[in-house]
Amino acid sequence: MGKKIFSGVQPTGNLHLGNYLGAIKNFVELNNVPTNECIFCVVDLHAITVKQDPKELKKNIRETVATFVASGIDPKKSIIFNQSGVAAHSEVAWILSCVARMGWLNRMTQFKEKAGKDKEKASIGLYSYPVLMAADILLYDATHVPVGDDQKQHLELCRDIAQKFNNDFGVEDFLKVPEPLIQKEFSRIMSLKDGSKKMSKSEISDLSRINLTDNEDQIINKIKKAKTDPLPMPKNIKDLEGRLEAQNLLGIFASLNNSTLESSTEKFAGKNFSEFKHELSELIVNKIIPISEEIKKLLNDYSHLDSILLDGVEKASKIASKKIKNIKEIVGF
Ligand code: AQP
């Protein structure tokens, strides 16, 4: 039986190699399985949990759609839409926020990381973000959710919320409990400047990430400047222990090359980092530049991108409106 897939990406600009290898590359593979029903959402409601410039947000929504399409997601096969276009997401998020428990949300590590030291000043939306994410997924009866490793905890919360709703209202199996689809390897791509931090859009230093819109020179320069250690390249996987930057760069190489960390480590065993970096930038350029060029081409035609979203909103609304009608009946509205 085919899978019902749902996943989202925030339109917060600077989509990077981590988003691509951790999520979007996986979306494309799932989109290519004929029996799968895929929904890929530009989660603009999530984006505003931190301050956004409205003009930039609009631009970033279109850029995210362009990135989906340029990476190989076919809007004829998969539904691509923006979250704010379907009001049911916000409505169901409210209902589910009355099911979710404070204690559960208090455990979410992403809030702690994103809110930083001054939690008092973080938006309520940033705190309750995982409840909205649960609404996104549960509205479409998604069976599988492809995400990067950083979203694993939010997905577990979504499963807890679904189970509690079903128990509280005595509606066994009404909200479908989804399975995460997290790749075994390379599910967390780290910063090029610090192998202990994930590659992130909001990191101030642009040198910390490869953006999907970077040109060849930028890619080569960023890999050249990527942090390494003074030792020669590791001889085998065991030798990678404690060498976070080497492990990350080899992981990027292996993931883009569709090979294993083991074989990529063996390929460069004992060589200098400069030799490896040369091959790594060549590989990134070969894989990313065609996507980057396609994104730029697609961004020249806003009306085409807007029509993809409009079509997606229409299709998503049809599914969501049936589910929310049943949810409201169950709750007693
Ligand atoms: N470094 C990463 N490695 C692997 N996967 C990643 N993802 C994000 N960063 C990495 C995955 O990409 C998908 C979309 O993420 P998102 O844009 O919705 O939000 P995020 O996880 O908050 O992304 P960023 O880049 O880290 O943004 P900021 O800097 O705003 O926090 C998700 O499936 C995510 O797992």
Side-chain angles (χ1 to χ4, degrees), residues 108-126:
M108 296 297 112
T109 54
Q110 198 183 73
F111 173 74
K112 290 177 192 153
E113 281 160 22
K114 289 200 172 180
K117 285 197 189 92
D118 204 352
K119 291 190 184 48
E120 295 285 314
K121 288 210 174 118
S123 73
I124 294 167
L126 190 66

Side-chain angles (χ1 to χ4, degrees), residues 273-328:
F273 270 103
S274 58
E275 210 173 316
F276 163 65
K277 280 184 165 183
H278 178 74
E279 280 203 41
L280 176 62
S281 7
E282 213 166 70
L283 179 64
I284 300 177
V285 165
N286 286 339
K287 297 279 179 178
I288 298 304
I289 292 299
I291 295 176
S292 156
E293 280 171 0
E294 191 57 27
I295 294 173
K296 281 173 202 142
K297 223 194 291 167
L298 286 162
L299 284 173
N300 283 328
D301 187 357
Y302 273 4
S303 64
H304 173 57
L305 297 172
D306 292 350
S307 73
I308 291 176
L309 284 179
L310 273 177
D311 184 49
V313 162
E314 201 178 305
K315 288 179 182 153
S317 294
K318 269 192 196 144
I319 306 171
S321 61
K322 276 192 204 140
K323 194 74 184 178
I324 195 172
K325 189 168 172 279
N326 292 333
I327 291 175
K328 284 181 173 173

